[in-house]
Amino acid sequence: MRGLVIGLAGIGLSMTYSILNFANFAHGDYITAGAFSGWATTYLVAGLGRADVGALLLVGAGGSVFGGTLGINVTGAPLAIVAGIVVAGVATVLLALLIDRTVFKPIRDADGISLLITSVGIAFALRYLILFVFGSSVRGTTNQPLSIPLYFLDGVVRVSAHDIALAVVAGGLMLGVHFLLQLTKLGKAMRAMADNEDLAQITGIPTERVVRAVWIIGGGLTGIAGYMFVLWKGTLGFNDGWLLLLLIFAAVILGGIGSIYGAIVGGLAIGLTASLSVIWIPSTFSRAAAFFVMIVLLLVKPEGIFSGRSTA
């Protein structure tokens, strides 16, 4: 489940790198912005008439209302969850387009370092704006979902409704990205720009339209990834995306920088490593284990699992 979130969020980061040629450090805070906007919607739909509207829109800041009290889970409030997913995606798309228009577009021809430093500034601005509006408290967002016991020889694994929802949403969106890249004119244009932007311009590909599509698709997937991550783990904080960002970068690098399929596979590998490593080492070292596996695999295959941009 963790790997699905990392892979889904990694698609947008990989698109940005392969087509716009810079590492967007604001990506983690896009995740957080999507999560808060989506969960504000979910709280509002689930709690309208049962709690103060301001408290609901602030996602229960200061302990004013709790998701568990509102009965929020996939089976108990499905309409609220669906509304939250949609708003998380749409709000992050609008945020990404706004920042591109006002900040990135005027300096798009600058070198990658300038864009990277700019993205770091945007990341801090977004993070502390979210902190100012929603507060610093980590709040619980859901109550206990239904779960199905799966019996194995040495024990029982319980799969919750939130696990299934995450698998369905993330798997469906990843499949959609695959079909988009392989079967549509937009997908072919995106792959062409990733391979050679100058040649794509010469052949008449509308590069500005492709750039806009990158922010729309990447932003939507990123916002939904942030919402589903919170749904799965059950808590929401202002630095969730920032804490996830390093693992996303590790996944993108492991899969092959610029490869969307590599971001998905790399996300699964990093997520599985971080989760399974706690069997042998303390949980505080799980991130270190994920980076260790990344380093070992890159020593064997320096170009990454999917060898860079060849697969778009």
Side-chain angles (χ1 to χ4, degrees):
M1 298 301 106
R2 188 189 306 274
L4 285 173
V5 171
I6 294 171
L8 187 62
I11 293 173
L13 186 63
S14 186
M15 280 183 170
T16 304
Y17 186 89
S18 62
I19 295 176
L20 301 179
N21 297 311
F22 79 99
N24 184 11
F25 271 81
H27 195 76
D29 296 281
Y30 288 0
I31 294 173
T32 309
F36 269 98
S37 60
W39 279 99
T41 303
T42 296
Y43 268 53
L44 182 64
V45 174
L48 194 61
R50 300 167 57 190
D52 179 70
V53 172
L56 294 173
L57 288 175
L58 291 176
V59 200
S64 53
V65 65
F66 299 96
T69 305
L70 299 175
I72 296 176
N73 60 52
V74 167
T75 54
L79 291 179
I81 296 295
V82 172
I85 292 173
V86 172
V87 171
V90 172
T92 311
V93 167
L94 295 176
L95 175 66
L97 289 174
L98 175 64
I99 291 176
D100 177 58
R101 178 63 63 90
T102 57
V103 180
F104 289 133
K105 187 176 181 179
I107 60 171
R108 192 170 292 161
D109 295 329
D111 59 275
I113 296 297
S114 299
L115 288 165
L116 185 150
I117 297 300
T118 301
S119 73
V120 172
I122 293 170
F124 278 107
L126 285 176
R127 192 173 318 140
Y128 289 105
L129 178 62
I130 292 170
L131 173 64
F132 176 76
V133 173
F134 293 98
S136 61
S137 61
V138 176
R139 73 274 333 249
T141 54
T142 61
N143 63 4
Q144 191 67 27
L146 294 176
S147 60
I148 303 169
L150 300 180
Y151 295 94
F152 293 91
L153 293 176
D154 58 346
V156 178
V157 174
R158 304 195 70 87
V159 178
S160 75
H162 292 169
D163 295 331
I164 297 171
L166 173 56
V168 170
V169 171
L173 290 174
M174 289 174 179
L175 194 62
V177 170
H178 166 72
F179 287 131
L180 172 73
L181 288 175
Q182 301 300 328
L183 302 178
T184 67
K185 288 184 179 180
L186 175 60
K188 293 175 182 178
M190 291 171 69
R191 289 189 286 129
M193 275 195 68
D195 287 337
N196 191 319
E197 182 178 355
D198 294 332
L199 184 59
Q201 289 178 328
I202 293 172
T203 55
I205 291 174
T207 54
E208 194 60 36
R209 191 180 304 170
V210 173
V211 169
R212 192 181 308 116
V214 167
W215 288 118
I216 291 172
I217 297 168
L221 295 178
T222 300
I224 293 172
Y227 183 92
M228 297 306 297
F229 182 52
V230 173
L231 177 69
W232 174 66
K233 70 189 182 76
T235 59
L236 173 63
F238 79 98
N239 61 351
D240 280 350
W242 173 248
L243 296 175
L244 202 60
L245 182 63
L246 290 180
L247 292 178
I248 295 171
F249 268 112
V252 170
I253 293 169
L254 177 61
I257 289 183
S259 169
I260 289 170
Y261 300 119
I264 296 171
V265 174
L268 291 171
I270 291 295
L272 285 169
T273 302
S275 295
L276 290 174
S277 63
V278 299
I279 298 173
W280 300 283
I281 62 176
S283 59
T284 51
F285 295 104
S286 61
R287 288 174 178 269
F291 283 103
F292 176 76
V293 168
M294 180 194 74
I295 292 169
V296 170
L297 288 177
L298 288 178
L299 288 174
V300 177
K301 194 173 176 63
E303 67 275 17
I305 298 172
F306 278 77
S307 304
R309 302 183 184 183
S310 60
T311 56

mmCIF file of all heavy atoms in Angstrom, residues 9-48:
data_model
loop_
_atom_site.group_PDB
_atom_site.id
_atom_site.type_symbol
_atom_site.label_atom_id
_atom_site.label_comp_id
_atom_site.label_asym_id
_atom_site.label_seq_id
_atom_site.Cartn_x
_atom_site.Cartn_y
_atom_site.Cartn_z
ATOM 1 N N ALA A 9 2.333 9.049 -6.652
ATOM 2 C CA ALA A 9 2.861 10.410 -6.526
ATOM 3 C C ALA A 9 4.119 10.594 -7.371
ATOM 4 O O ALA A 9 4.387 11.696 -7.869
ATOM 5 C CB ALA A 9 3.156 10.720 -5.060
ATOM 6 N N GLY A 10 4.889 9.515 -7.542
ATOM 7 C CA GLY A 10 6.129 9.602 -8.314
ATOM 8 C C GLY A 10 5.908 9.851 -9.796
ATOM 9 O O GLY A 10 6.797 10.360 -10.489
ATOM 10 N N ILE A 11 4.724 9.487 -10.317
ATOM 11 C CA ILE A 11 4.442 9.711 -11.739
ATOM 12 C C ILE A 11 4.536 11.195 -12.069
ATOM 13 O O ILE A 11 5.165 11.596 -13.054
ATOM 14 C CB ILE A 11 3.054 9.157 -12.109
ATOM 15 C CG1 ILE A 11 3.047 7.628 -12.004
ATOM 16 C CG2 ILE A 11 2.672 9.585 -13.527
ATOM 17 C CD1 ILE A 11 1.674 7.014 -12.196
ATOM 18 N N GLY A 12 3.899 12.029 -11.242
ATOM 19 C CA GLY A 12 3.929 13.471 -11.487
ATOM 20 C C GLY A 12 5.335 14.039 -11.413
ATOM 21 O O GLY A 12 5.731 14.873 -12.238
ATOM 22 N N LEU A 13 6.116 13.590 -10.445
ATOM 23 C CA LEU A 13 7.494 14.061 -10.302
ATOM 24 C C LEU A 13 8.334 13.635 -11.496
ATOM 25 O O LEU A 13 9.138 14.415 -12.017
ATOM 26 C CB LEU A 13 8.091 13.519 -9.008
ATOM 27 C CG LEU A 13 9.482 14.033 -8.627
ATOM 28 C CD1 LEU A 13 9.441 15.531 -8.374
ATOM 29 C CD2 LEU A 13 10.003 13.297 -7.405
ATOM 30 N N SER A 14 8.132 12.398 -11.953
ATOM 31 C CA SER A 14 8.877 11.898 -13.102
ATOM 32 C C SER A 14 8.501 12.643 -14.373
ATOM 33 O O SER A 14 9.355 12.961 -15.208
ATOM 34 C CB SER A 14 8.614 10.399 -13.269
ATOM 35 O OG SER A 14 9.424 9.859 -14.290
ATOM 36 N N MET A 15 7.198 12.947 -14.539
ATOM 37 C CA MET A 15 6.755 13.738 -15.702
ATOM 38 C C MET A 15 7.423 15.105 -15.710
ATOM 39 O O MET A 15 7.889 15.583 -16.755
ATOM 40 C CB MET A 15 5.244 13.919 -15.654
ATOM 41 C CG MET A 15 4.437 12.739 -16.152
ATOM 42 S SD MET A 15 2.664 13.162 -16.121
ATOM 43 C CE MET A 15 2.004 11.766 -17.027
ATOM 44 N N THR A 16 7.450 15.747 -14.555
ATOM 45 C CA THR A 16 8.047 17.076 -14.454
ATOM 46 C C THR A 16 9.514 17.041 -14.850
ATOM 47 O O THR A 16 9.992 17.912 -15.582
ATOM 48 C CB THR A 16 7.914 17.618 -13.016
ATOM 49 O OG1 THR A 16 6.547 17.610 -12.636
ATOM 50 C CG2 THR A 16 8.452 19.027 -12.915
ATOM 51 N N TYR A 17 10.214 16.009 -14.382
ATOM 52 C CA TYR A 17 11.648 15.925 -14.685
ATOM 53 C C TYR A 17 11.880 15.618 -16.157
ATOM 54 O O TYR A 17 12.728 16.239 -16.808
ATOM 55 C CB TYR A 17 12.326 14.876 -13.811
ATOM 56 C CG TYR A 17 13.820 14.866 -14.000
ATOM 57 C CD1 TYR A 17 14.635 15.681 -13.232
ATOM 58 C CD2 TYR A 17 14.414 14.080 -14.987
ATOM 59 C CE1 TYR A 17 16.003 15.709 -13.418
ATOM 60 C CE2 TYR A 17 15.776 14.102 -15.184
ATOM 61 C CZ TYR A 17 16.576 14.909 -14.404
ATOM 62 O OH TYR A 17 17.925 14.941 -14.612
ATOM 63 N N SER A 18 11.148 14.647 -16.706
ATOM 64 C CA SER A 18 11.427 14.202 -18.068
ATOM 65 C C SER A 18 11.036 15.236 -19.111
ATOM 66 O O SER A 18 11.670 15.323 -20.171
ATOM 67 C CB SER A 18 10.700 12.885 -18.351
ATOM 68 O OG SER A 18 9.296 13.061 -18.251
ATOM 69 N N ILE A 19 10.008 16.036 -18.867
ATOM 70 C CA ILE A 19 9.521 16.972 -19.873
ATOM 71 C C ILE A 19 9.951 18.412 -19.585
ATOM 72 O O ILE A 19 10.273 19.170 -20.500
ATOM 73 C CB ILE A 19 7.993 16.863 -19.994
ATOM 74 C CG1 ILE A 19 7.630 15.460 -20.531
ATOM 75 C CG2 ILE A 19 7.410 17.949 -20.892
ATOM 76 C CD1 ILE A 19 6.159 15.184 -20.614
ATOM 77 N N LEU A 20 9.992 18.805 -18.307
ATOM 78 C CA LEU A 20 10.365 20.178 -17.955
ATOM 79 C C LEU A 20 11.811 20.295 -17.471
ATOM 80 O O LEU A 20 12.299 21.393 -17.224
ATOM 81 C CB LEU A 20 9.416 20.723 -16.885
ATOM 82 C CG LEU A 20 7.942 20.748 -17.282
ATOM 83 C CD1 LEU A 20 7.086 21.294 -16.143
ATOM 84 C CD2 LEU A 20 7.719 21.561 -18.529
ATOM 85 N N ASN A 21 12.469 19.156 -17.282
ATOM 86 C CA ASN A 21 13.905 19.114 -17.000
ATOM 87 C C ASN A 21 14.315 19.781 -15.687
ATOM 88 O O ASN A 21 15.320 20.490 -15.617
ATOM 89 C CB ASN A 21 14.703 19.747 -18.157
ATOM 90 C CG ASN A 21 14.538 18.986 -19.447
ATOM 91 O OD1 ASN A 21 14.685 17.767 -19.487
ATOM 92 N ND2 ASN A 21 14.211 19.699 -20.514
ATOM 93 N N PHE A 22 13.517 19.584 -14.634
ATOM 94 C CA PHE A 22 13.980 20.008 -13.315
ATOM 95 C C PHE A 22 13.300 19.171 -12.238
ATOM 96 O O PHE A 22 12.212 18.626 -12.453
ATOM 97 C CB PHE A 22 13.726 21.505 -13.080
ATOM 98 C CG PHE A 22 12.313 21.861 -12.707
ATOM 99 C CD1 PHE A 22 11.962 22.073 -11.383
ATOM 100 C CD2 PHE A 22 11.337 22.003 -13.685
ATOM 101 C CE1 PHE A 22 10.668 22.418 -11.031
ATOM 102 C CE2 PHE A 22 10.040 22.353 -13.350
ATOM 103 C CZ PHE A 22 9.707 22.552 -12.018
ATOM 104 N N ALA A 23 13.972 19.052 -11.114
ATOM 105 C CA ALA A 23 13.445 18.304 -9.970
ATOM 106 C C ALA A 23 12.607 19.249 -9.130
ATOM 107 O O ALA A 23 13.122 20.218 -8.561
ATOM 108 C CB ALA A 23 14.585 17.720 -9.142
ATOM 109 N N ASN A 24 11.315 18.988 -9.049
ATOM 110 C CA ASN A 24 10.377 19.890 -8.380
ATOM 111 C C ASN A 24 10.272 19.527 -6.896
ATOM 112 O O ASN A 24 9.547 18.618 -6.516
ATOM 113 C CB ASN A 24 9.005 19.792 -9.053
ATOM 114 C CG ASN A 24 8.018 20.772 -8.469
ATOM 115 O OD1 ASN A 24 8.376 21.672 -7.710
ATOM 116 N ND2 ASN A 24 6.754 20.595 -8.801
ATOM 117 N N PHE A 25 10.967 20.279 -6.047
ATOM 118 C CA PHE A 25 10.946 20.004 -4.616
ATOM 119 C C PHE A 25 9.646 20.464 -3.962
ATOM 120 O O PHE A 25 9.422 20.180 -2.789
ATOM 121 C CB PHE A 25 12.146 20.666 -3.931
ATOM 122 C CG PHE A 25 13.357 19.786 -3.886
ATOM 123 C CD1 PHE A 25 14.187 19.659 -4.989
ATOM 124 C CD2 PHE A 25 13.656 19.058 -2.754
ATOM 125 C CE1 PHE A 25 15.293 18.840 -4.961
ATOM 126 C CE2 PHE A 25 14.767 18.224 -2.704
ATOM 127 C CZ PHE A 25 15.586 18.120 -3.814
ATOM 128 N N ALA A 26 8.799 21.168 -4.694
ATOM 129 C CA ALA A 26 7.486 21.537 -4.157
ATOM 130 C C ALA A 26 6.494 20.390 -4.291
ATOM 131 O O ALA A 26 5.366 20.490 -3.807
ATOM 132 C CB ALA A 26 6.950 22.772 -4.884
ATOM 133 N N HIS A 27 6.904 19.297 -4.920
ATOM 134 C CA HIS A 27 6.004 18.183 -5.184
ATOM 135 C C HIS A 27 5.416 17.608 -3.891
ATOM 136 O O HIS A 27 4.231 17.271 -3.837
ATOM 137 C CB HIS A 27 6.753 17.091 -5.954
ATOM 138 C CG HIS A 27 5.870 16.065 -6.576
ATOM 139 N ND1 HIS A 27 5.148 16.297 -7.724
ATOM 140 C CD2 HIS A 27 5.577 14.798 -6.205
ATOM 141 C CE1 HIS A 27 4.465 15.220 -8.042
ATOM 142 N NE2 HIS A 27 4.696 14.301 -7.136
ATOM 143 N N GLY A 28 6.230 17.512 -2.863
ATOM 144 C CA GLY A 28 5.741 16.982 -1.592
ATOM 145 C C GLY A 28 4.651 17.840 -0.991
ATOM 146 O O GLY A 28 3.693 17.320 -0.397
ATOM 147 N N ASP A 29 4.754 19.143 -1.167
ATOM 148 C CA ASP A 29 3.738 20.029 -0.605
ATOM 149 C C ASP A 29 2.497 20.110 -1.487
ATOM 150 O O ASP A 29 1.423 20.471 -1.007
ATOM 151 C CB ASP A 29 4.349 21.406 -0.355
ATOM 152 C CG ASP A 29 5.448 21.319 0.688
ATOM 153 O OD1 ASP A 29 5.123 21.255 1.887
ATOM 154 O OD2 ASP A 29 6.630 21.266 0.303
ATOM 155 N N TYR A 30 2.624 19.738 -2.771
ATOM 156 C CA TYR A 30 1.432 19.515 -3.586
ATOM 157 C C TYR A 30 0.633 18.343 -3.007
ATOM 158 O O TYR A 30 -0.604 18.369 -2.991
ATOM 159 C CB TYR A 30 1.811 19.191 -5.028
ATOM 160 C CG TYR A 30 2.337 20.345 -5.851
ATOM 161 C CD1 TYR A 30 2.468 21.621 -5.311
ATOM 162 C CD2 TYR A 30 2.708 20.171 -7.185
ATOM 163 C CE1 TYR A 30 2.952 22.672 -6.072
ATOM 164 C CE2 TYR A 30 3.187 21.213 -7.949
ATOM 165 C CZ TYR A 30 3.317 22.462 -7.384
ATOM 166 O OH TYR A 30 3.793 23.508 -8.137
ATOM 167 N N ILE A 31 1.348 17.319 -2.568
ATOM 168 C CA ILE A 31 0.690 16.163 -1.943
ATOM 169 C C ILE A 31 -0.100 16.616 -0.714
ATOM 170 O O ILE A 31 -1.270 16.247 -0.534
ATOM 171 C CB ILE A 31 1.738 15.105 -1.551
ATOM 172 C CG1 ILE A 31 2.386 14.510 -2.788
ATOM 173 C CG2 ILE A 31 1.118 14.004 -0.698
ATOM 174 C CD1 ILE A 31 3.552 13.577 -2.487
ATOM 175 N N THR A 32 0.545 17.417 0.132
ATOM 176 C CA THR A 32 -0.116 17.891 1.345
ATOM 177 C C THR A 32 -1.302 18.791 1.021
ATOM 178 O O THR A 32 -2.366 18.688 1.649
ATOM 179 C CB THR A 32 0.879 18.664 2.231
ATOM 180 O OG1 THR A 32 2.055 17.866 2.422
ATOM 181 C CG2 THR A 32 0.277 18.973 3.585
ATOM 182 N N ALA A 33 -1.133 19.677 0.042
ATOM 183 C CA ALA A 33 -2.236 20.571 -0.339
ATOM 184 C C ALA A 33 -3.425 19.768 -0.847
ATOM 185 O O ALA A 33 -4.580 20.057 -0.507
ATOM 186 C CB ALA A 33 -1.754 21.553 -1.405
ATOM 187 N N GLY A 34 -3.164 18.752 -1.656
ATOM 188 C CA GLY A 34 -4.238 17.899 -2.137
ATOM 189 C C GLY A 34 -4.928 17.161 -1.005
ATOM 190 O O GLY A 34 -6.165 17.054 -0.981
ATOM 191 N N ALA A 35 -4.126 16.678 -0.061
ATOM 192 C CA ALA A 35 -4.699 15.953 1.077
ATOM 193 C C ALA A 35 -5.617 16.853 1.901
ATOM 194 O O ALA A 35 -6.745 16.473 2.243
ATOM 195 C CB ALA A 35 -3.582 15.389 1.950
ATOM 196 N N PHE A 36 -5.168 18.060 2.231
ATOM 197 C CA PHE A 36 -5.983 18.954 3.065
ATOM 198 C C PHE A 36 -7.242 19.412 2.334
ATOM 199 O O PHE A 36 -8.317 19.485 2.940
ATOM 200 C CB PHE A 36 -5.151 20.153 3.516
ATOM 201 C CG PHE A 36 -4.453 19.934 4.823
ATOM 202 C CD1 PHE A 36 -3.124 19.540 4.857
ATOM 203 C CD2 PHE A 36 -5.119 20.097 6.027
ATOM 204 C CE1 PHE A 36 -2.468 19.325 6.056
ATOM 205 C CE2 PHE A 36 -4.479 19.888 7.239
ATOM 206 C CZ PHE A 36 -3.151 19.491 7.250
ATOM 207 N N SER A 37 -7.123 19.742 1.045
ATOM 208 C CA SER A 37 -8.313 20.183 0.317
ATOM 209 C C SER A 37 -9.324 19.049 0.198
ATOM 210 O O SER A 37 -10.533 19.255 0.367
ATOM 211 C CB SER A 37 -7.922 20.697 -1.066
ATOM 212 O OG SER A 37 -7.274 19.688 -1.828
ATOM 213 N N GLY A 38 -8.836 17.846 -0.064
ATOM 214 C CA GLY A 38 -9.744 16.703 -0.167
ATOM 215 C C GLY A 38 -10.395 16.354 1.151
ATOM 216 O O GLY A 38 -11.606 16.089 1.216
ATOM 217 N N TRP A 39 -9.616 16.385 2.228
ATOM 218 C CA TRP A 39 -10.185 16.015 3.536
ATOM 219 C C TRP A 39 -11.083 17.115 4.096
ATOM 220 O O TRP A 39 -12.027 16.820 4.837
ATOM 221 C CB TRP A 39 -9.080 15.633 4.511
ATOM 222 C CG TRP A 39 -8.663 14.226 4.245
ATOM 223 C CD1 TRP A 39 -7.579 13.795 3.527
ATOM 224 C CD2 TRP A 39 -9.383 13.050 4.615
ATOM 225 N NE1 TRP A 39 -7.593 12.434 3.429
ATOM 226 C CE2 TRP A 39 -8.664 11.938 4.092
ATOM 227 C CE3 TRP A 39 -10.546 12.823 5.338
ATOM 228 C CZ2 TRP A 39 -9.100 10.629 4.275
ATOM 229 C CZ3 TRP A 39 -10.974 11.530 5.525
ATOM 230 C CH2 TRP A 39 -10.263 10.444 5.003
ATOM 231 N N ALA A 40 -10.838 18.372 3.733
ATOM 232 C CA ALA A 40 -11.779 19.430 4.107
ATOM 233 C C ALA A 40 -13.133 19.171 3.463
ATOM 234 O O ALA A 40 -14.196 19.332 4.095
ATOM 235 C CB ALA A 40 -11.233 20.791 3.681
ATOM 236 N N THR A 41 -13.124 18.720 2.206
ATOM 237 C CA THR A 41 -14.365 18.385 1.507
ATOM 238 C C THR A 41 -15.050 17.185 2.144
ATOM 239 O O THR A 41 -16.270 17.180 2.351
ATOM 240 C CB THR A 41 -14.069 18.098 0.026
ATOM 241 O OG1 THR A 41 -13.418 19.230 -0.555
ATOM 242 C CG2 THR A 41 -15.355 17.795 -0.730
ATOM 243 N N THR A 42 -14.261 16.154 2.455
ATOM 244 C CA THR A 42 -14.831 14.952 3.078
ATOM 245 C C THR A 42 -15.465 15.280 4.426
ATOM 246 O O THR A 42 -16.580 14.833 4.722
ATOM 247 C CB THR A 42 -13.738 13.884 3.264
ATOM 248 O OG1 THR A 42 -13.268 13.481 1.971
ATOM 249 C CG2 THR A 42 -14.279 12.666 3.987
ATOM 250 N N TYR A 43 -14.781 16.054 5.241
ATOM 251 C CA TYR A 43 -15.332 16.467 6.541
ATOM 252 C C TYR A 43 -16.632 17.248 6.348
ATOM 253 O O TYR A 43 -17.603 17.056 7.073
ATOM 254 C CB TYR A 43 -14.315 17.330 7.292
ATOM 255 C CG TYR A 43 -13.407 16.565 8.224
ATOM 256 C CD1 TYR A 43 -12.683 15.470 7.783
ATOM 257 C CD2 TYR A 43 -13.275 16.933 9.552
ATOM 258 C CE1 TYR A 43 -11.840 14.776 8.624
ATOM 259 C CE2 TYR A 43 -12.428 16.255 10.416
ATOM 260 C CZ TYR A 43 -11.712 15.171 9.948
ATOM 261 O OH TYR A 43 -10.887 14.474 10.800
ATOM 262 N N LEU A 44 -16.632 18.150 5.350
ATOM 263 C CA LEU A 44 -17.807 18.987 5.132
ATOM 264 C C LEU A 44 -19.009 18.142 4.700
ATOM 265 O O LEU A 44 -20.118 18.308 5.225
ATOM 266 C CB LEU A 44 -17.504 20.041 4.070
ATOM 267 C CG LEU A 44 -18.630 21.034 3.761
ATOM 268 C CD1 LEU A 44 -18.947 21.881 4.994
ATOM 269 C CD2 LEU A 44 -18.256 21.923 2.581
ATOM 270 N N VAL A 45 -18.795 17.212 3.764
ATOM 271 C CA VAL A 45 -19.894 16.371 3.286
ATOM 272 C C VAL A 45 -20.378 15.431 4.381
ATOM 273 O O VAL A 45 -21.587 15.259 4.584
ATOM 274 C CB VAL A 45 -19.453 15.572 2.042
ATOM 275 C CG1 VAL A 45 -20.541 14.570 1.629
ATOM 276 C CG2 VAL A 45 -19.135 16.512 0.890
ATOM 277 N N ALA A 46 -19.446 14.841 5.127
ATOM 278 C CA ALA A 46 -19.833 13.881 6.158
ATOM 279 C C ALA A 46 -20.414 14.538 7.397
ATOM 280 O O ALA A 46 -21.250 13.934 8.089
ATOM 281 C CB ALA A 46 -18.624 13.026 6.553
ATOM 282 N N GLY A 47 -19.990 15.777 7.679
ATOM 283 C CA GLY A 47 -20.394 16.397 8.941
ATOM 284 C C GLY A 47 -21.331 17.567 8.821
ATOM 285 O O GLY A 47 -21.634 18.216 9.835
ATOM 286 N N LEU A 48 -21.807 17.853 7.610
ATOM 287 C CA LEU A 48 -22.696 19.000 7.432
ATOM 288 C C LEU A 48 -23.972 18.822 8.252
ATOM 289 O O LEU A 48 -24.658 17.805 8.160
ATOM 290 C CB LEU A 48 -23.053 19.151 5.949
ATOM 291 C CG LEU A 48 -23.704 20.480 5.553
ATOM 292 C CD1 LEU A 48 -22.772 21.646 5.838
ATOM 293 C CD2 LEU A 48 -24.088 20.459 4.069
#
